[in-house]
Amino acid sequence: MHAKLAVQALAESIYKVPSSSLNVVFKPGAFGGQLMANSLNSALQHAHSQDPSLQPSSQQSYFLGPTLIDKDVYFKVDTVRESGRSFVTKRVSSFQLDEGEDISAGLSRPPNFESTVDFYRPSPKLLEAAEEADLDFSKVAEFTDVHSTEDIISSSIPLSELKALLVAKELERGSLYGMAVFLADKLSLADMLLDIRVPKTALREPAGSRSSYWVGVDAGLCAGLDTPSQGKVILPYVSDGMTQVLACFSALNGAKGWDAWPSKLTVWNYGLWFPATAQVEEKREGVSSKKWFLVSYDVLSMEHGKGVGRVELFDWANEKRRAASGNFSVMCMK
């Protein structure tokens, strides 16, 4: 597995990600999507050491405190529920150590990040039913004619061009949206190995409409993710990559209540549900070394300093299947 998503098993239930593998979004914090992916991978390894047939079905994550990029990250995995022969739930808590501390010191402190991962043992009938359900992408029907990497590139613009349009005042958006675009320009997208592109149709979307964006994942990041279980590891990484780039929320533009908010928001809760067949294949399509996903967003409510939204990911290289769906919460930071 690619180093960005790999974890090292130290003991029966302790896993480590070295600081050299961590990606940056806003310094000095580590990229939240990577923490989600690494915690899912830790839970997978722990579950498969007991039963290789277990498949992850959902993941709920909470960002409880800062995770710094200059320290290794440790993940502790516990089994919190085992319901008969069908369901298993793992809780993954992360911590970091100061110089000279041992692991026991980290275990005694409140976690920086916590994730709950549900597993199930799928039957052939369930897998067959999921195979049919995954083909429903009616919510993004306007993109059904986009087939190749060349189609994606020609019908979209990178975030850097979006910033240029705002600077030139060729695109009118609300103050929160504009601020987020400028912050997004400072993201270490090269470290994240993501290419985020805005469909040209999104530039004409009215305020509060559903927002869809392309995320290209470096092919090297997908290397080794050739089984349904492992393939799901990359999905939190892709999904939260979009949420961290708050500039992509055109649904926020001019929406009632948002302009009065403080200009700094944070994602504090993120949940994802995985179809049984979600898989990332090692593919290089067309002239690009990227694997492309379409990520589609809605903002459901905004009140009392908190916003709630939902997200869906479609794997465009794999028959446009729904790869994951979920929800997220954003909150004002004082």
Side-chain angles (χ1 to χ4, degrees):
M1 186 178 291
H2 194 279
K4 295 292 183 183
L5 301 180
V7 296
Q8 175 189 356
L10 299 183
E12 182 180 352
S13 60
I14 305 290
Y15 301 84
K16 173 184 173 181
V17 175
S19 60
S20 58
S21 295
L22 295 176
N23 287 340
V24 184
V25 175
F26 300 112
K27 292 183 178 180
F31 171 38
Q34 187 172 14
L35 297 176
M36 292 167 65
N38 291 144
S39 66
L40 176 57
N41 195 8
S42 299
L44 265 170
Q45 289 198 27
H46 192 266
H48 285 177
S49 68
Q50 301 165 342
D51 184 350
S53 70
L54 288 170
Q55 292 277 342
S57 59
S58 68
Q59 178 181 23
Q60 188 75 35
S61 299
Y62 296 90
F63 299 93
L64 306 173
T67 299
L68 305 178
I69 58 172
D70 59 352
K71 297 179 181 180
D72 299 340
V73 182
Y74 297 84
F75 295 95
K76 172 71 165 61
V77 183
D78 295 297
T79 302
V80 296
R81 182 184 69 172
E82 188 157 7
S83 181
R85 299 169 57 186
S86 300
F87 299 99
V88 175
T89 300
K90 304 284 184 182
R91 180 174 57 234
V92 187
S93 303
S94 81
F95 59 90
Q96 294 180 292
L97 302 176
D98 293 327
E99 188 173 351
E101 286 188 320
D102 60 22
I103 288 178
S104 61
L107 291 172
S108 66
R109 290 196 292 266
N112 300 330
F113 167 87
E114 190 168 274
S115 192
T116 301
V117 184
D118 288 311
F119 292 86
Y120 73 111
R121 296 177 177 89
S123 68
K125 288 184 177 180
L126 284 174
L127 290 174
E128 186 177 337
E131 187 84 16
E132 297 177 1
D134 292 346
L135 295 176
D136 176 21
F137 49 90
S138 58
K139 290 184 178 180
V140 290
E142 65 268 34
F143 297 100
T144 54
D145 292 332
V146 178
H147 300 291
S148 66
T149 295
E150 291 82 355
D151 291 340
I152 292 172
I153 299 300
S154 64
S155 64
S156 62
I157 64 172
L159 278 176
S160 58
E161 288 188 26
L162 184 62
K163 178 185 175 183
L165 289 174
L166 287 167
V167 170
K169 296 186 177 180
E170 295 177 14
L171 179 65
E172 293 296 331
R173 288 291 190 265
S175 59
L176 179 63
Y177 185 88
M179 175 279 306
V181 171
F182 281 87
L183 288 178
D185 190 54
K186 298 180 181 180
L187 298 179
S188 55
L189 294 179
D191 285 346
M192 290 164 59
L193 305 179
L194 297 177
D195 182 8
I196 300 173
R197 301 184 67 91
V198 181
K200 293 176 181 177
T201 54
L203 305 182
R204 301 185 293 273
E205 286 179 345
S209 62
R210 188 176 180 88
S211 303
S212 298
Y213 299 87
W214 295 107
V215 180
V217 182
D218 189 285
L221 193 67
C222 302
L225 301 178
D226 54 0
T227 69
S229 288
Q230 286 186 324
K232 293 173 185 177
V233 171
I234 203 172
L235 299 178
Y237 189 94
V238 175
S239 179
D240 195 48
M242 287 295 297
T243 307
Q244 294 287 354
V245 185
L246 291 171
C248 292
F249 282 40
S250 66
L252 299 185
N253 174 45
K256 183 179 180 181
W258 282 90
D259 286 341
W261 280 35
S263 60
K264 192 173 184 182
L265 303 178
T266 183
V267 177
W268 68 278
N269 174 300
Y270 207 115
L272 281 177
W273 288 261
F274 311 118
T277 55
Q279 184 170 342
V280 175
E281 300 173 353
E282 255 185 282
K283 283 188 177 180
R284 285 174 169 79
E285 293 222 329
V287 297
S288 173
S289 61
K290 302 285 184 182
K291 177 178 177 61
W292 290 95
F293 293 83
L294 184 73
V295 186
S296 193
Y297 283 85
D298 268 341
V299 176
L300 303 179
S301 67
M302 302 167 288
E303 58 184 349
H304 306 304
K306 185 178 74 171
V308 179
R310 62 187 174 195
V311 58
E312 290 183 288
L313 288 84
F314 296 86
D315 183 348
W316 226 247
N318 188 15
E319 299 182 3
K320 304 175 183 176
R321 293 185 186 279
R322 181 184 284 107
S325 60
N327 56 46
F328 56 88
S329 299
V330 293
M331 183 175 289
C332 292
M333 295 182 67
K334 295 181 180 180

